[in-house]
Amino acid sequence: MTLLALNPSRFLSEFYISFWIPTAVLTAALVIKLPTIIRLWRDPLLRAVGGLLLLACAVFVFCSPTTIARVNRLTGVPNISAPWCYSLITAFCGSCLLLIITWRNGPSDRSATTRRATRRVVSGYCGVIVALWVLFGLADAPVERLRDLDTYYANTPFMREEILLYLVAHAVACLITSRLIWNWVRTEGLDAWLRWGLKLLGVGYLLNLIFDASKLTAVAARWCEHDLDWLSTDLAPPVAALSAILIAVGFILPHAGQYLHDRWRVRLAHRELRPLYQLMRTENGEGVPFVLRATPELRLTRRETFIRDVLLPLARRLDPGLGSRAYDAALGLGHPPERARALAAAVSILDAVETGARTPEPAWGSPQSPEASDEGDGPDTTSLLQEIGAISRALRRPDEIEAVRARATAPAGSVAVHE
């Protein structure tokens, strides 16, 4: 704290964040969103997101001191980057408000209120951009300033008004956007990934308000003949960079999080089917051919198809009586009905596979054994095909299956049967 009080600029330099870091994160967010934006170009919400991310990238590219110097040299006009950067920041503010209007009212809303709000934002911020260039043309700013233009020209006529105009426009947009986002976060029934994305967006826009407060305080200090330039040159830039990173991640998170969640569910389902798949390979003699470039979804579909294709003919050897007794036995051992059905199906399938391994399969039309014709509540073919996931999970607990099987095949009266 002593170091901060004596030399805040030196202290804050330890937390410097290169402008190229948020630029890279924002570009990644834009690249992730771009295929969806192109495919669904008519969706105003996606267009608003794309425009906002593109403008955010442009802000950090052109507000970098090296880029500012190059633009000034290219045009031959000292500080021409000032109205250009201010215009990009103002356009970004307008995009934020347009995005929130679209989000809040829904992409399909074409009401008079929505159209009026959209027109006000577009006309208002376009007017601000025009005013920025007019003020710069009227101002006298011959000395090039790459990092401290806001405070250096804080008392210069017309430049003073230009600086104040862009900061107020930015602050108003961030304040409205932040408030609407936090109201949305409190809405019931939001997807978890969307909620976290909105929280990151909300924090990002709150940091933007800190950026504006730092800049405005430094400029106001110059008006009062005080020097708080470090707020503008050393505190505001890293705050803006961190804000941009959070905003970019906030846009990425709902999309990437849901994508990773879906992929994890597919891989988990594929892994859960492994015990039943291995059992069906034993029955069939071969498995699914390996395909190097198969997607996880395709591998899951092929495994499910293989299991069902083998189960279908295997169902002819299922013993309904054994299935019924196994179900009662599982209930008697304390398993809930859903788990009991899966265990009973697993016992029936194991018995059918072992029976097929011991004896050749009977020809079509041959009479079934008396035991196979018993009435019972064992798993039918439809249940087997629909519940392969639950059956495969049951096969992971061979101790439970053996307990159910022993109870189901024990001589009548030797064990207490569930009533």
Side-chain angles (χ1 to χ4, degrees):
M1 294 303 294
T2 302
L3 179 61
L4 176 62
L6 296 176
N7 194 349
S9 177
R10 181 181 174 186
F11 176 79
L12 289 170
S13 65
E14 299 295 328
F15 301 94
Y16 173 75
I17 300 176
S18 171
F19 274 18
W20 296 110
I21 295 176
T23 302
V25 178
L26 287 164
T27 302
L30 182 60
V31 169
I32 289 174
K33 288 283 188 182
L34 193 58
T36 305
I37 293 171
I38 294 175
R39 188 172 64 253
L40 302 174
W41 178 249
R42 293 186 177 182
D43 187 337
L45 177 59
L46 289 174
R47 290 203 304 270
V49 171
L52 186 145
L53 290 174
L54 186 61
L55 284 170
C57 290
V59 166
F60 281 94
V61 169
F62 285 99
C63 290
S64 170
T66 55
T67 308
I68 290 174
R70 289 174 184 171
V71 172
N72 291 340
R73 286 197 301 269
L74 182 64
T75 59
V77 179
N79 299 313
I80 190 68
S81 285
W84 173 241
C85 292
Y86 295 162
S87 297
L88 288 174
I89 294 172
T90 302
F92 170 77
C93 298
S95 295
C96 293
L97 287 176
L98 289 176
L99 176 62
I100 293 302
I101 291 172
T102 305
W103 256 348
R104 183 188 62 182
N105 298 330
S108 60
D109 186 11
R110 296 292 185 271
S111 65
T113 303
T114 300
R115 292 197 302 270
R116 185 164 54 250
T118 301
R119 284 196 301 268
R120 285 178 178 175
V121 170
V122 173
S123 59
Y125 278 84
C126 285
V128 170
I129 292 173
V130 171
L132 290 173
W133 286 95
V134 171
L135 289 169
F136 181 77
L138 296 173
D140 182 20
V143 181
E144 183 183 59
R145 308 302 298 184
L146 301 181
R147 290 175 50 85
D148 63 345
L149 184 142
D150 292 344
T151 51
Y152 186 86
Y153 288 108
N155 289 310
T156 301
F158 299 111
M159 283 298 293
R160 173 182 58 225
E161 287 76 13
E162 177 173 10
I163 293 166
L164 183 62
L165 178 61
Y166 102 84
L167 286 175
V168 170
H170 185 264
V172 169
C174 291
L175 183 63
I176 296 173
T177 304
S178 178
R179 179 180 177 182
L180 292 174
I181 285 175
W182 286 110
N183 287 340
W184 192 5
V185 168
R186 290 191 288 269
T187 303
E188 296 293 335
L190 286 182
D191 174 77
W193 293 109
L194 176 59
R195 189 181 299 277
W196 278 106
L198 288 173
K199 287 181 179 180
L200 290 175
L201 287 174
V203 174
Y205 284 110
L206 286 176
L207 288 176
N208 265 326
L209 291 174
I210 296 177
F211 166 87
D212 293 322
S214 302
K215 288 278 187 178
L216 286 169
T217 302
V219 169
R222 280 289 186 135
W223 296 344
C224 300
E225 299 183 352
H226 295 292
D227 185 358
L228 293 178
D229 290 5
W230 62 272
L231 288 172
S232 176
T233 57
D234 297 299
L235 176 61
V239 168
L242 182 58
S243 168
I245 292 172
L246 291 176
I247 289 173
V249 175
F251 281 117
I252 293 173
L253 189 62
H255 180 276
Q258 189 59 52
Y259 172 81
L260 293 175
H261 179 67
D262 292 343
R263 277 300 179 94
W264 170 251
R265 289 178 61 185
V266 169
R267 292 185 182 275
L268 182 62
H270 185 270
R271 180 175 175 271
E272 285 183 341
L273 288 175
R274 181 175 177 79
L276 185 55
Y277 169 70
Q278 294 291 350
L279 184 60
M280 294 301 97
R281 285 187 62 181
T282 302
E283 168 68 15
N284 189 63
E286 58 183 16
V288 177
F290 176 75
V291 178
L292 181 62
R293 296 186 178 181
T295 63
E297 291 83 2
L298 179 58
R299 287 198 293 269
L300 175 61
T301 300
R302 295 182 67 190
R303 177 166 286 190
E304 290 174 339
T305 302
F306 174 80
I307 290 173
R308 291 188 174 104
D309 286 346
V310 178
L311 270 179
L312 204 56
L314 182 66
R316 296 198 302 268
R317 295 204 303 266
L318 294 180
D319 182 354
L322 175 61
S324 178
R325 295 193 301 274
Y327 177 73
D328 290 339
L331 291 176
L333 290 171
H335 295 288
E338 184 177 352
R339 178 69 173 173
R341 282 193 296 272
L343 288 168
V347 168
S348 298
I349 292 171
L350 283 169
D351 179 75
V353 171
E354 293 171 1
T355 300
R358 290 194 303 267
T359 60
E361 187 174 347
W364 283 96
S366 59
Q368 294 180 324
S369 65
E371 185 181 9
S373 63
D374 290 342
E375 296 294 332
D377 296 325
D380 57 19
T381 305
T382 302
S383 298
L384 290 176
L385 298 180
Q386 291 177 346
E387 299 175 5
I388 57 176
I391 296 170
S392 188
R393 288 192 296 271
L395 288 170
R396 289 183 175 275
R397 302 299 298 270
D399 52 336
E400 293 182 358
I401 291 178
E402 287 303 319
V404 172
R405 192 172 190 177
R407 193 180 181 97
T409 58
S414 62
V415 294
V417 181
H418 174 75
E419 294 294 338

